[in-house]
Amino acid sequence: MNPSSAKSRRAFLFTLSVFLNGAVGSVLAVPILGYLLGPALKKGSSYNSWVALGAVSEFPEGETRLVGYRNPVTTPWDGETGKVACWVRHISGQQFQVFAINCAHLGCPVRWFAQSKLFLCPCHGGAYYADGSRASGPPPRGLFQYKHKIDGDKLMISTGEMPTLATETCNKKPLIQIDPSS
């Protein structure tokens, strides 16, 4: 074997390995970049969307109903996971409350019991009054509420930020430390 053929074989194998590593890196980079940049790209298009839950006349006064809607941030291939449920309480006239279905303790779905006028969590026994405030059990606070409005004859909710403690905390002004020396 002459030295020039060994060198050319080595150069060929090096070039081939660089090319294959580049191809594998490119294939792996696509989903990683999609994961990292996906939320930023979706956020601009439908992040602060208002979704219609139905006509105001569909919610009788004094009743609480389970309503489902499609999360506008989802994609068509999300299937059933793109559906979200919430509880709508029609207090009277134009007064509504829209609650997230999740318990404030660990996120289990709460159920409405019209006879007792309570939301109950099956996981750890949390209970909430009809207005969403905490009644008993391990939940540290009341049910999370969606921002809502009435547009014409439609009840609309804001789906850009899911109602959680984090979004409620972010909307509050931060505490400012006062310097005792001044």
Side-chain angles (χ1 to χ4, degrees):
M1 191 186 283
N2 77 27
S4 66
S5 68
K7 188 174 183 181
S8 68
R9 186 181 324 148
R10 187 176 300 142
F12 170 74
L13 291 174
F14 177 77
T15 305
L16 181 64
S17 67
V18 167
F19 174 75
L20 290 175
N21 282 325
V24 168
S26 298
V27 167
L28 291 176
V30 170
I32 291 171
L33 286 174
Y35 173 77
L36 294 174
L37 299 177
L41 298 174
K42 284 184 181 179
K43 194 174 188 178
S45 63
S46 57
Y47 183 68
N48 288 320
S49 297
W50 286 87
V51 173
L53 295 180
V56 172
S57 60
E58 294 177 23
F59 305 103
E61 278 192 29
E63 284 191 25
T64 300
R65 290 202 171 166
L66 182 65
V67 178
Y69 67 92
R70 179 122 183 117
N71 188 342
V73 181
T74 59
T75 56
W77 52 85
D78 288 334
E80 293 296 311
T81 60
K83 294 181 180 176
V84 181
C86 61
W87 291 104
V88 176
R89 176 178 178 231
H90 188 172
I91 301 167
S92 66
Q94 301 287 331
Q95 290 183 309
F96 286 88
Q97 284 183 298
V98 183
F99 302 109
I101 196 170
N102 307 89
C103 178
H105 177 228
L106 292 177
C108 293
V110 296
R111 298 281 317 244
W112 170 249
F113 290 88
Q115 302 84 358
S116 59
K117 303 245 185 262
L118 290 172
F119 290 101
L120 299 175
C121 177
C123 296
H124 301 108
Y128 302 90
Y129 294 115
D131 67 354
S133 61
R134 180 186 175 276
S136 68
R141 60 176 315 284
L143 291 172
F144 296 107
Q145 292 189 47
Y146 284 93
K147 294 177 190 172
H148 65 280
K149 68 180 180 181
I150 296 175
D151 186 13
D153 69 333
K154 299 279 186 197
L155 177 62
M156 313 277 288
I157 61 169
S158 174
T159 60
E161 293 179 346
M162 295 301 288
T164 63
L165 194 56
T167 57
E168 288 183 8
T169 305
C170 290
N171 292 335
K172 294 181 181 176
K173 290 185 178 181
L175 295 175
I176 298 174
Q177 182 70 33
I178 298 175
D179 185 17
S181 62
S182 55

